[in-house]
Amino acid sequence: MPSPAASAGIAITPASNTTPQMNLWNGVLMRLVGFSCLGGFLFGYDTGVTSGCLVFLKDYYGLNYFEEEEIVSSTVLAAAVGCLLVGVPMSNYGRRPMLFVTTMLYTTGALIVAAATDFEMVVCGRVVLGFGVGMASILSPVYIAEAAPSSWRAGLVALNTLMIVLGQVFSCLVNAAVDDMSYSYNWRISMGFAGVPSMFMFFGLFSLPESPRWLLSKGREEDARASLAKIRGPENDATEELKIMAAGIAAEQSDMSFIDMWKHKPIRNAFIVGCALGLFQQLAAINTLMYYGAVVMEMAGFPSSASIELTAVLAMSQGVGVCTSLYLYSILPRRTVLLWSISGVIIGLVLIGVAFENIDEMQGLAVFAVMFYLVCFGLGYAAAPTIVASEIYPTHARSFGVSQVVFFMWMGNFLVSATFLTETNNFGISNTFYIYAGVTVLAWFYIYMELPETSGKSMEEIWTCFCGKNESGKYVGDRYVE
């Protein structure tokens, strides 16, 4: 059966590895990346604000550690459900309309938390926020990746990760600013503030076009041409790039159910690798230090006010790594950057465990180890799942594939965030971080063996790496090998 692009009469030419040389950075692309990345900023803000607000809420409601885990894990579980459910509507209705939905969920959830009259209402608002966070964690990187020039794709998707970190830093600064206020108001201001950038994002989306790749996949050639021309600017002729997109879409299978996709070896291999990468990333415990950063600093012997201030420093540490990764991913093979990043993460986790063996004498080492871990995580591991997930699937499977990857990320996040305080109470904080280090060692070997290099390939070519390996263990490029 011909693809929608072929049916639309678009000429098919062999895909090229690069986008034709043009002056591509223009106002529309800047707005598209900027407003899309607000989804990442809100994602990071929600993650970071929780760390300090747990201290506020613990004093206000007298929470035990099970209730602290409930506040965190309820949002994470809702995010997992949100990212799982958004795959079909974003495929049917487009990327941009569903981004509008996420902004409304953010705003509604923030208002519910800010107006909460009891603990249950706080959890309810956090659940609504979670749905928005989960949906944005898929929609933002996919929307950016499908609009970006191929040579800029990794950097622009990684920029979304940088905005996540900036959101975390900003939320920590907000928490520090309201620390001296009454416990009746400080957490309401911190958590309710998420509604402000979500409204900016809502109104900004009105000026943006739909993803040209999604439009092509639906057979809407003229709309795709207009969208791409708007994104690339009137001074650039995007005809050749449109043909390249169409060639990739025309060569892909279409109208496949999940069972059909799973039976198709290249797509199945891509699903497995993408989901494993997302799960392993979260099992490296990054969000235990984001959600429970202030709590961990209190465990290290710092007073609550200093712990809240230190969370901003910790978030900045990851920001240093993510900023560096924007450069590293542009000059080095992505797989190499990722493996070196994971190596540093393992060392950091071990050092954290060692420091907490004798925290009275190694408080400084604990802070250094956490900062070292966060820098190394930001250097490659932070952006890797979203970069890989936005690249490795054919257009007709991309929405579903990315949603599965992010679902596994959220389930891994839920697993560690719902059990972290319980583990530290039962096994001790040192042993908890040693467990995370052991899991990350397994992740390093799995990624080394199974993840192919994707640098220098167009989105339409990358997924062909997953059709299998030849006798020497190298990935082969015939997409129809079964």
Side-chain angles (χ1 to χ4, degrees):
M1 175 180 177
S3 73
S7 299
I10 299 175
I12 304 302
T13 59
S16 168
N17 285 351
T18 60
T19 301
Q21 294 299 310
M22 298 181 284
N23 179 22
L24 298 170
W25 194 241
N26 60 75
V28 176
L29 183 59
M30 288 174 66
R31 290 200 307 274
L32 187 149
V33 173
F35 285 117
S36 299
C37 283
L38 276 178
F41 179 88
L42 286 163
F43 179 6
Y45 185 88
D46 179 77
T47 303
V49 80
T50 305
S51 178
C53 283
L54 281 178
V55 176
F56 302 152
L57 287 165
K58 182 169 59 176
D59 290 331
Y60 185 71
Y61 284 115
L63 305 180
N64 57 44
Y65 70 84
F66 287 113
E67 289 170 325
E68 291 181 65
E69 288 177 337
E70 185 179 354
I71 287 176
V72 174
S73 60
S74 60
T75 307
V76 174
L77 186 59
V81 175
C83 80
L84 189 64
L85 296 179
V86 77
V88 172
M90 73 183 277
S91 180
N92 291 341
Y93 304 115
R95 291 30 169 156
R96 183 169 164 268
M98 297 311 299
L99 280 169
F100 276 110
V101 175
T102 67
T103 62
M104 290 185 280
L105 288 170
Y106 271 124
T107 305
T108 302
L111 290 175
I112 292 173
V113 173
T117 56
D118 53 35
F119 173 75
E120 289 72 21
M121 194 170 174
V122 172
V123 174
C124 178
R126 298 283 298 162
V127 168
V128 176
L129 276 167
F131 283 118
V133 168
M135 292 170 63
S137 65
I138 293 177
L139 287 162
S140 291
V142 169
Y143 188 41
I144 293 169
E146 292 188 339
S150 60
S151 57
W152 297 3
R153 189 173 56 243
L156 292 181
V157 173
L159 185 61
N160 185 65
T161 304
L162 175 61
M163 290 298 290
I164 293 174
V165 176
L166 290 178
Q168 292 167 344
V169 173
F170 188 78
S171 68
C172 294
L173 295 176
V174 172
N175 281 337
V178 302
D179 183 31
D180 293 331
M181 295 178 63
S182 166
Y183 285 133
S184 299
Y185 301 105
N186 51 13
W187 58 271
R188 297 181 192 276
I189 294 172
S190 292
M191 289 188 163
F193 183 82
V196 176
S198 67
M199 292 306 297
F200 276 107
M201 184 177 175
F202 177 84
F203 289 109
L205 287 170
F206 282 101
S207 66
L208 303 180
E210 181 54 85
S211 160
R213 278 188 173 87
W214 179 82
L215 291 168
L216 271 181
S217 72
K218 297 300 180 182
R220 296 166 57 181
E221 176 193 357
E222 291 306 317
D223 290 338
R225 191 185 306 278
S227 173
L228 189 61
K230 187 175 182 181
I231 293 170
R232 296 293 179 259
E235 70 278 10
N236 296 313
D237 183 1
T239 302
E240 185 63 27
E241 186 179 359
L242 194 71
K243 291 180 180 180
I244 292 171
M245 288 184 189
I249 294 171
E252 294 164 1
Q253 299 179 21
S254 60
D255 299 327
M256 298 173 71
S257 67
F258 169 72
I259 294 176
D260 292 331
M261 292 184 204
W262 187 255
K263 290 180 179 178
H264 190 253
K265 188 174 181 180
I267 301 177
R268 181 173 70 247
N269 289 344
F271 277 162
I272 293 172
V273 171
C275 292
L277 177 58
L279 180 63
F280 275 129
Q281 187 226 41
Q282 290 300 307
L283 295 181
I286 178 61
N287 281 312
T288 62
L289 293 173
M290 291 296 101
Y291 290 129
Y292 299 108
V295 175
V296 171
M297 290 298 100
E298 284 186 323
M299 292 177 179
F302 292 96
S304 61
S305 58
S307 298
I308 291 170
E309 292 168 359
L310 276 171
T311 58
V313 178
L314 300 182
M316 289 178 189
S317 300
Q318 188 182 354
V320 170
V322 172
C323 287
T324 307
S325 76
L326 299 178
Y327 176 69
L328 294 179
Y329 272 126
S330 69
I331 64 168
L332 295 174
R334 290 169 199 171
R335 185 169 173 272
T336 300
V337 173
L338 175 57
L339 289 172
W340 277 107
S341 173
I342 296 174
S343 299
V345 166
I346 294 169
I347 294 171
L349 288 169
V350 171
L351 287 176
I352 294 171
V354 170
F356 275 97
E357 293 277 7
N358 188 5
I359 194 59
D360 292 336
E361 297 182 7
M362 297 186 179
Q363 190 180 60
L365 177 61
V367 175
F368 169 79
V370 172
M371 293 176 65
F372 178 82
Y373 163 88
L374 290 169
V375 170
C376 291
F377 190 92
L379 285 174
Y381 215 2
T386 51
I387 291 175
V388 170
S390 65
E391 289 183 330
I392 63 176
Y393 302 115
T395 302
H396 71 276
R398 188 168 297 133
S399 295
F400 183 81
V402 172
S403 69
Q404 299 311 299
V405 172
V406 181
F407 173 74
F408 272 84
M409 290 174 67
W410 281 113
M411 290 309 297
N413 188 347
F414 174 74
L415 181 62
V416 296
S417 64
T419 60
F420 175 69
L421 296 179
T422 301
E423 286 183 67
T424 57
N425 275 276
N426 291 336
F427 306 125
I429 190 166
S430 290
N431 289 333
T432 299
F433 280 100
Y434 290 148
I435 292 170
Y436 295 146
V439 172
T440 308
V441 170
L442 296 178
W444 191 99
F445 282 103
Y446 177 84
I447 291 167
Y448 178 80
M449 297 295 295
E450 297 298 330
L451 181 67
E453 182 56 65
T454 61
S455 298
K457 297 183 174 71
S458 69
M459 293 182 76
E460 288 72 30
E461 293 172 323
I462 287 173
W463 77 285
T464 65
C465 295
F466 292 91
C467 60
K469 299 177 183 178
N470 58 25
E471 293 180 357
S472 63
K474 301 292 185 181
Y475 283 93
V476 295
D478 180 4
R479 71 183 70 196
Y480 298 109
V481 173
E482 289 294 343

